[in-house]
Amino acid sequence: MASFSVLSQAICLIFLVSCEFWSQGAGNQDEIKDPTVSVVLLARNKEHVLPYFLTLFERLNYPKKRMALYIRSDHNADLTIPILEEWLAHNKQNYHYIDTKLDKHSPKSYPGDEEGTEWNNERFTKVMELKEELLDKARHSWADYVWFLDMDVFLTNRDILLKMLSEEKAIVAPMLNSLGTYSNYWGGMTEDYWYTRSDDYIPILDRKQKGCFDVPMVHSCVLVDLTRVASDNLTFIPKNLPGYKGPHDDIIAFAISAKNTRLPMHVCNSEIYGFIPPPLEDGQGLHIDMKQLLSIKLEVLVQHPPLPISKLLAKYIPPLPKIDNVGFDQIYLINLARRIERRDRMFQSFRELGLKVKLFEAVDGKQLNDSYLRELGVKQMVGYKDPWSKRDMTFGEIGCFLSHYFIWVDIVNNGYNKVLLFEDDIRFEPYFKEKLKVMREEADSLLDWDLIYLGRKKMKSADEPWVEDSETLVHVDYSYWTLCYAITLQGAQKLLAAHPLSQLVPVDEYIPIMFNKHPETEWMEKFPVRNLNAYSVAPLYVFPTHYTGEDGYISDTEESPIIVEDAVAPSAMSPSLGGKGLELEIGFNGLAKDEL
């Protein structure tokens, strides 16, 4: 009987487990599979970007078994095809279906294409035929969607495909970040089908307006809903369009076919979905594309980790450039110890640029108080009020000034003739290092200069004539911000000789005072010797990573307390104050030279 009882219990347990299994199964009976997506991937001379593209593509958050890949490549002068072959050998089994034609025997270039980058009629015709063929294949395979994706797009948002599908648009593209004002959409189109700038193009590009917008053109990363009956009339071939007299261009022909079919194109910008380099201009070779890749990698770093590379493809990435000082005796980065993410991003940027930079720990305004500042002899200028908010200085502004001040001291102590200084909340303009070298050559040959702004806030009313015989430098007017500047030994000596700590103003007010271009004449009169020879590059080489009010904006100067009385002073040896490690050899209001 006992054995029968045990058997009965076992049978009951199996029954209960089975019921639970079938109950869960019944709860999922309405679950729907993700749509099938045919992905059209065309590549030519993309060796320098393919490892990044493929690494990001394989990391997309979408079921690979619901994706079919159509890959085409020809007319290559680099390792595009070997990279594709190696990646396919390790990944093709993950996808539902892969259709490839990698032509190793085609000529390296089209007729007349000396740089391997030109777009002549023959190349346009080839691309049109390929896209049309693969559009038809997607239709005939009963794919729900076809995704035309250029292989120099960096899909940093892993959910990009899911998000575009969720928009339920006939033709939709995620807005891709790039350099300057370029992106993968047009705001307007002329009557003869060429690009024109619309009033809402920049607000969409800058994400001042967010959402999905009806536009006349999207390209490079375009998702098309093939379940729409009207999608059968889409085409890349101009001769399929009655009365078409526009350019011999695949994306324009496709846009006109969408317009004729009354399928609106949309670009969506609610999030950062990815990045795309701008197209090369006529005559520009692949070496320019590689420089643009560097600029895109630096843009990615503003809000994302570095572009990832799979172990499989890492061998195709060239080594980072050798580091140097670009002709400067020292290059500094000012960074608060608690802003680790900014420090890491900047040094990753410097590694990409090949710049040798010394970390300078900033003076932290949060660790300062009124009593301690009195010990240093720091006094706010009598009559100073912030020009905009009419408040006294904040501890953050004082910490910022002291950080720059201690670097000027370090320049003098070490006898550095020329120095470059960065703050840690900047983004770099394309070709930064090349521009920096040109600026140095011009400045040294044309000027007796003390300070040159590379990043600042220029006033709209500024009068800034060009330096004679220069294509880079202007005579600078009153400016805000000290994002990045070059300074000489003579310039540092002049800034220190005025004893600014005893009548302190923010550093971006003090420097214009010293080159005699400040609108507050009463402030300038407190510094009788104002002979700083200051200039600026034009256009600027660096800009803020974020502007006031933007997502992610943080200010350690504005968003800090105003000076208040506090009897408890931190130790002058405290490393959290920053500025440590300097052996001050000039007078600093009684502060001993080994106290910082």
Side-chain angles (χ1 to χ4, degrees):
M1 293 291 293
S3 61
F4 178 78
S5 175
V6 172
L7 179 60
S8 299
Q9 293 177 14
I11 292 172
C12 288
L13 180 60
I14 292 171
F15 177 76
L16 289 173
V17 171
S18 299
C19 289
E20 178 67 17
F21 173 80
W22 288 110
S23 174
Q24 291 179 355
N28 294 330
Q29 66 185 1
D30 293 329
E31 187 174 353
I32 298 174
K33 294 179 181 180
D34 290 293
T36 56
V37 181
S38 290
V39 188
V40 174
L41 302 168
L42 308 181
R44 181 186 179 222
N45 291 330
K46 296 301 181 185
E47 172 188 345
H48 54 296
V49 294
L50 265 180
Y52 300 108
F53 172 85
L54 293 170
T55 299
L56 290 165
F57 183 77
E58 68 184 64
R59 296 185 181 191
L60 291 178
N61 184 21
Y62 198 80
K64 291 179 172 59
K65 290 300 183 182
R66 305 296 287 172
M67 301 172 74
L69 309 186
Y70 296 88
I71 304 176
R72 301 290 186 269
S73 184
D74 56 31
H75 291 82
N76 292 291
D78 64 5
L79 298 178
T80 291
I81 287 179
I83 293 173
L84 288 170
E85 288 177 329
E86 184 159 2
W87 183 81
L88 286 167
H90 288 79
N91 289 276
K92 63 182 179 181
Q93 71 281 0
N94 298 326
Y95 294 88
H96 171 68
Y97 176 72
I98 292 185
D99 178 337
T100 63
K101 287 184 181 179
L102 307 178
D103 188 349
K104 299 179 181 179
H105 305 295
S106 57
K108 292 183 178 180
S109 63
Y110 289 92
D113 181 8
E114 296 179 0
E115 298 287 349
T117 58
E118 298 287 343
W119 280 91
N120 55 26
N121 278 356
E122 185 175 342
R123 185 178 178 189
F124 271 116
T125 298
K126 177 71 171 179
V127 169
M128 290 172 181
E129 291 172 349
L130 284 174
K131 288 186 176 180
E132 191 78 5
E133 172 200 351
L134 299 178
L135 175 59
D136 286 338
K137 285 199 171 196
R139 288 168 175 149
H140 295 154
S141 67
W142 289 1
D144 296 315
Y145 289 83
V146 61
W147 189 12
F148 293 95
L149 182 57
D150 289 356
M151 297 184 84
D152 57 359
V153 168
F154 305 119
L155 306 174
T156 53
N157 189 322
R158 296 182 64 185
D159 294 327
I160 186 170
L161 183 51
L162 288 169
K163 292 178 182 295
M164 292 302 100
L165 289 168
S166 70
E167 297 295 345
E168 298 183 344
K169 305 294 186 185
I171 304 173
V172 64
M175 191 191 82
L176 300 173
N177 288 28
S178 188
L179 307 176
T181 57
Y182 180 73
S183 189
N184 60 316
Y185 71 100
W186 290 8
M189 182 183 287
T190 65
E191 292 183 359
D192 52 352
Y193 311 123
W194 291 107
Y195 171 82
T196 186
R197 177 71 60 83
S198 62
D199 292 338
D200 62 353
Y201 180 84
I202 295 299
I204 293 172
L205 184 76
D206 292 340
R207 293 185 170 86
K208 301 298 184 185
Q209 302 173 12
K210 288 187 177 182
C212 288
F213 303 91
D214 190 338
V215 294
M217 163 74 79
V218 288
H219 59 85
S220 300
C221 183
V222 180
L223 187 68
V224 181
D225 184 354
L226 296 181
T227 67
R228 311 272 179 133
V229 173
S231 71
D232 290 344
N233 298 317
L234 295 171
T235 184
F236 290 94
I237 307 296
K239 67 180 181 181
N240 294 340
L241 299 170
Y244 178 78
K245 296 180 181 179
H248 191 67
D249 184 292
D250 56 308
I251 61 174
I252 293 178
F254 187 76
I256 299 306
S257 76
K259 180 180 179 181
N260 293 347
T261 310
R262 296 186 180 180
L263 286 178
M265 289 183 160
H266 288 88
V267 66
C268 301
N269 70 347
S270 296
E271 301 180 28
I272 296 178
Y273 298 104
F275 295 78
I276 183 174
L280 296 176
E281 297 179 4
D282 289 345
Q284 291 184 328
L286 287 172
H287 67 286
I288 300 297
D289 213 26
M290 294 174 189
K291 292 182 183 297
Q292 291 187 158
L293 171 60
L294 168 60
S295 296
I296 288 292
K297 291 168 72 176
L298 296 177
E299 273 296 293
V300 170
L301 287 171
V302 172
Q303 297 189 54
H304 297 79
L307 289 177
I309 291 291
S310 67
K311 291 181 180 179
L312 176 68
L313 302 176
K315 61 188 175 185
Y316 294 106
I317 299 300
L320 292 172
K322 293 181 179 180
I323 62 172
D324 61 54
N325 283 355
V326 206
F328 291 92
D329 298 309
Q330 186 62 272
I331 303 177
Y332 295 97
L333 171 68
I334 298 178
N335 168 256
L336 287 169
R338 56 187 165 86
R339 294 296 183 201
I340 298 172
E341 74 291 342
R342 289 187 178 183
R343 180 196 66 206
D344 292 348
R345 181 187 73 83
M346 287 298 295
F347 272 99
Q348 179 65 34
S349 298
F350 294 142
R351 283 191 288 271
E352 294 284 353
L353 287 164
L355 291 178
K356 184 180 180 181
V357 179
K358 178 181 179 180
L359 176 65
F360 186 89
E361 187 178 319
V363 176
D364 194 338
K366 287 191 174 182
Q367 302 297 321
L368 295 174
N369 57 50
D370 193 46
S371 300
Y372 179 59
L373 294 176
R374 281 200 300 269
E375 291 182 30
L376 303 183
V378 173
K379 295 181 180 179
Q380 178 178 282
M381 176 189 286
V382 174
Y384 169 79
K385 292 292 180 181
D386 179 84
W388 307 105
S389 63
K390 307 304 179 184
R391 55 158 173 76
D392 291 331
M393 288 182 68
T394 68
F395 280 114
E397 288 172 327
I398 296 171
C400 179
F401 191 103
L402 291 176
S403 300
H404 286 262
Y405 184 91
F406 291 158
I407 286 180
W408 303 336
V409 170
D410 200 41
I411 293 169
V412 173
N413 286 349
N414 289 283
Y416 294 144
N417 287 315
K418 292 182 176 68
V419 162
L420 185 61
L421 183 150
F422 293 98
E423 293 183 348
D424 66 0
D425 54 349
I426 64 171
R427 66 189 337 142
F428 297 88
E429 276 292 281
Y431 314 112
F432 173 82
K433 197 170 182 180
E434 290 81 0
K435 291 176 179 178
L436 189 60
K437 291 178 180 178
V438 172
M439 181 277 290
R440 272 294 314 272
E441 292 173 359
E442 281 202 0
D444 291 346
S445 64
L446 297 175
L447 301 170
D448 175 21
W449 62 277
D450 295 325
L451 184 144
I452 299 174
Y453 286 101
L454 275 67
R456 63 188 173 112
K457 182 178 181 179
K458 177 185 174 182
M459 302 292 104
K460 290 183 178 179
S461 59
D463 179 19
E464 298 186 336
W466 287 94
V467 170
E468 187 175 357
D469 297 326
S470 173
E471 297 180 358
T472 303
L473 298 162
V474 297
H475 297 271
V476 67
D477 205 336
Y478 175 58
S479 305
Y480 268 118
W481 303 342
T482 50
L483 302 172
C484 177
Y485 58 85
I487 187 171
T488 64
L489 173 61
Q490 177 179 268
Q493 290 170 333
K494 289 180 179 180
L495 291 170
L496 293 170
H499 302 292
L501 298 186
S502 61
Q503 42 188 356
L504 200 67
V505 294
V507 68
D508 56 354
E509 303 281 9
Y510 176 61
I511 291 176
I513 287 174
M514 291 301 290
F515 61 75
N516 204 37
K517 288 289 185 178
H518 202 286
E520 295 287 346
T521 55
E522 291 184 7
W523 297 1
M524 289 203 297
E525 289 170 358
K526 296 179 186 293
F527 297 95
V529 181
R530 304 183 297 275
N531 60 350
L532 190 73
N533 297 322
Y535 302 88
S536 177
V537 296
L540 297 168
Y541 295 173
V542 303
F543 290 89
T545 56
H546 300 84
Y547 291 91
T548 305
E550 288 184 344
D551 293 341
Y553 173 78
I554 298 174
S555 172
D556 288 302
T557 55
E558 295 293 331
E559 298 170 9
S560 65
I562 298 172
I563 302 171
V564 294
E565 177 67 28
D566 187 343
V568 181
S571 168
M573 292 295 292
S574 171
S576 63
L577 286 174
K580 59 183 180 180
L582 301 183
E583 296 180 356
L584 303 185
E585 297 174 358
I586 65 173
F588 181 44
N589 296 310
L591 185 62
K593 71 176 183 180
D594 61 350
E595 286 187 306
L596 288 178

